[in-house]
Structure formats: structure tokens, C-alpha cells
Amino acid sequence: MINILIADNQPLTQQGIITFLTDVNSIHIVGKCGPEDLEAYLSHVQPQLIIISHEPEPNSNLTAIKKVKEKYKSLCILVLSNNVHKHEIMQVIDQGINNYISKGCSRDEFLEAVFATANGEKYYCKKILNILFGPDPIADKAEAVRMLSLREKEIIELIATGMGNKDIAEKLFLSIHTVKTHRKNIIKKLGFTFKHASELILIIGYLNDFFI
């Protein structure tokens, strides 16, 4: 049985989620609240999974999401949003949350997201994938990731932590020239600059998990 707490400010959205889940035998709704009341509810209910809304700024629930993620590390979090802005989606993903769906997704996608999240798997609905990676990105991106060497993936991960060429060279026992060459090859293969290293990590992780 998956015990779920719904954290959304809109009664219609709360009721819509409940309607979607009512006839699913393996799911139990333990409560519903607004994101601002989430911590209070968690003090007396013990859900396995939270479905929480993420609204555009200035009414963003990112602070509530951060607090829950930090305090309840074993809790599964599924973010539900009308958000169409890539940078705001990335703000949530940067908190280590890899389950994000649009409020416009289908019931089938919604149920897939719930079960994937409860099982500790990543899940993004098609609309969110399109916002993050562009229309129909999967085949091209998967092929690009296949072209990366293990060393190139390792360098991307180090860049994403904020390391520069010199630090990477020292850590991997390479010359700075070799590191620069790897960076050029990565950009050529993926078409990304390293202003968006976190997006590279997301692409590689997502495609490795599901498509490679």
C-alpha cells in the first residue's frame, strides 16, 4: 500500500488527484493540505509519498520542497506543476528531485509517475521532457550520450560540481591540454556549453536509466 499526502493550495486540484487515485487499490490518501502546512501535517501523518505543487514565482513552493527534502530524506516526492519555465523546473531538479510532471498530463502518465516515484525511480512526463530537452529529443540525445566515453562522462560530472580545468586535470592525473580537448569533444557531441552542466548530468542520468 502506498500512503500519499497531497500538498496543493487549489481544492480543485486536490479533488482531481483524489479522483484519479480513488479506484487504485494499492493507494491510500492519508491527507491533503497546502504546501505551507506540509511540515505540520508530517508531524502526525506518515506518508510514503508526497504529491506537492510547484507554482511559478513569486508564489513558488520551492522553500517548502527544500525543507521536506532535507528533513525527510527517505520520503518520496512527486512535483506537480503548471510550470512552463525551464529554469524553474531546473531549480527543483537541482534539489535532487527527479520526479516532475505537468498538471496537464494524462491519467496514465500520472499513475506511472506515482508508482515510479514510490519505487524510487525517476519520472518526467512528456511535456516536462519537451521543456527540458526540446521537442522529441530522446533519440538524438540518446545517440549523443552513447558517443561519450567514460572519461568524458566523468569530466562532465566534475564540471557540474564547479571544478575548473586545473582541478580536473589534477584529480584525474591528466594535462590541462587533455582536459580542454575532452571539453571541446563533449560540446561537439552534445551541442551544450558548460553554462548548463546540471542539464548535461540530467540528460545523461535520465537516458542511462531508461534508454541505454
Side-chain angles (χ1 to χ4, degrees), residues 7 30 36 68 74 78-79 113 136 149 153 158 162 170 179 206 209:
V30 297
E36 68 279 1
V68 170
S74 64
L78 174 61
V79 176
D136 196 24
S149 67
K153 290 182 181 180
L158 294 176
E170 291 176 355
V179 174
Y206 189 85
D209 285 348

Side-chain angles (χ1 to χ4, degrees), residues 39 42-43 67-75 77:
E39 284 195 271
L42 287 173
S43 67
K67 287 182 179 179
V68 170
K69 179 67 176 177
E70 291 170 0
K71 189 172 181 180
Y72 302 92
K73 299 187 184 299
S74 64
L75 196 59
I77 301 174

Side-chain angles (χ1 to χ4, degrees), residues 4 9 61 80 114 116 121 126-127 148 169 177 196 203:
I4 296 177
N9 281 321
N61 299 322
L80 180 65
V114 167
E121 302 167 359
K126 291 176 182 177
K127 183 173 181 179
L148 293 173
H177 173 75
H196 304 290
I203 290 171

Side-chain angles (χ1 to χ4, degrees), residues 12-209:
L12 284 176
T13 301
Q14 291 180 354
Q15 189 56 50
I17 294 171
I18 292 169
T19 300
F20 269 7
L21 299 177
T22 295
D23 61 350
V24 182
N25 293 330
S26 56
I27 287 175
H28 175 59
I29 306 296
V30 297
K32 57 183 180 179
C33 63
E36 68 279 1
D37 300 320
L38 187 53
E39 284 195 271
Y41 268 74
L42 287 173
S43 67
H44 64 271
V45 298
Q46 296 182 327
Q48 177 186 351
L49 186 154
I50 293 174
I51 299 174
I52 184 169
S53 62
H54 179 225
E55 304 305 329
E57 297 175 351
N59 299 314
S60 174
N61 299 322
L62 187 60
T63 299
I65 293 171
K66 283 181 180 179
K67 287 182 179 179
V68 170
K69 179 67 176 177
E70 291 170 0
K71 189 172 181 180
Y72 302 92
K73 299 187 184 299
S74 64
L75 196 59
C76 299
I77 301 174
L78 174 61
V79 176
L80 180 65
S81 180
N82 279 324
N83 206 325
V84 293
H85 298 290
K86 183 175 180 178
H87 76 280
E88 291 179 349
I89 297 171
M90 288 304 303
Q91 284 178 339
V92 173
I93 293 171
D94 286 342
Q95 301 306 312
I97 296 172
N98 294 296
N99 302 78
Y100 199 118
I101 61 174
S102 165
K103 287 185 177 180
C105 73
S106 67
R107 183 174 187 266
D108 286 345
E109 280 189 303
F110 180 75
L111 292 177
E112 285 177 3
V114 167
F115 285 110
T117 305
N119 288 329
E121 302 167 359
K122 298 176 184 178
Y123 193 92
Y124 305 93
C125 69
K126 291 176 182 177
K127 183 173 181 179
I128 298 301
L129 283 174
N130 285 344
I131 293 170
L132 291 172
F133 303 139
D136 196 24
I138 297 304
D140 290 342
K141 290 290 189 277
E143 185 58 35
V145 172
R146 288 190 186 99
M147 293 170 62
L148 293 173
S149 67
L150 291 176
R151 177 67 81 190
E152 287 167 344
K153 290 182 181 180
E154 187 175 20
I155 287 174
I156 290 171
E157 291 169 358
L158 294 176
I159 291 169
T161 67
M163 293 179 68
N165 290 342
K166 182 179 178 182
D167 293 333
I168 293 172
E170 291 176 355
K171 182 175 180 64
L172 300 179
F173 303 103
L174 301 172
S175 69
I176 292 178
H177 173 75
T178 299
V179 174
K180 288 181 177 178
T181 299
H182 279 306
R183 288 179 70 128
K184 289 178 182 177
N185 289 339
I186 293 165
I187 291 171
K188 183 178 179 181
K189 290 176 181 179
L190 295 183
F192 275 81
T193 65
F194 293 109
K195 292 178 181 178
H196 304 290
S198 60
E199 293 175 29
L200 287 173
I201 296 297
L202 177 62
I203 290 171
I204 291 171
Y206 189 85
L207 293 174
N208 280 342
D209 285 348

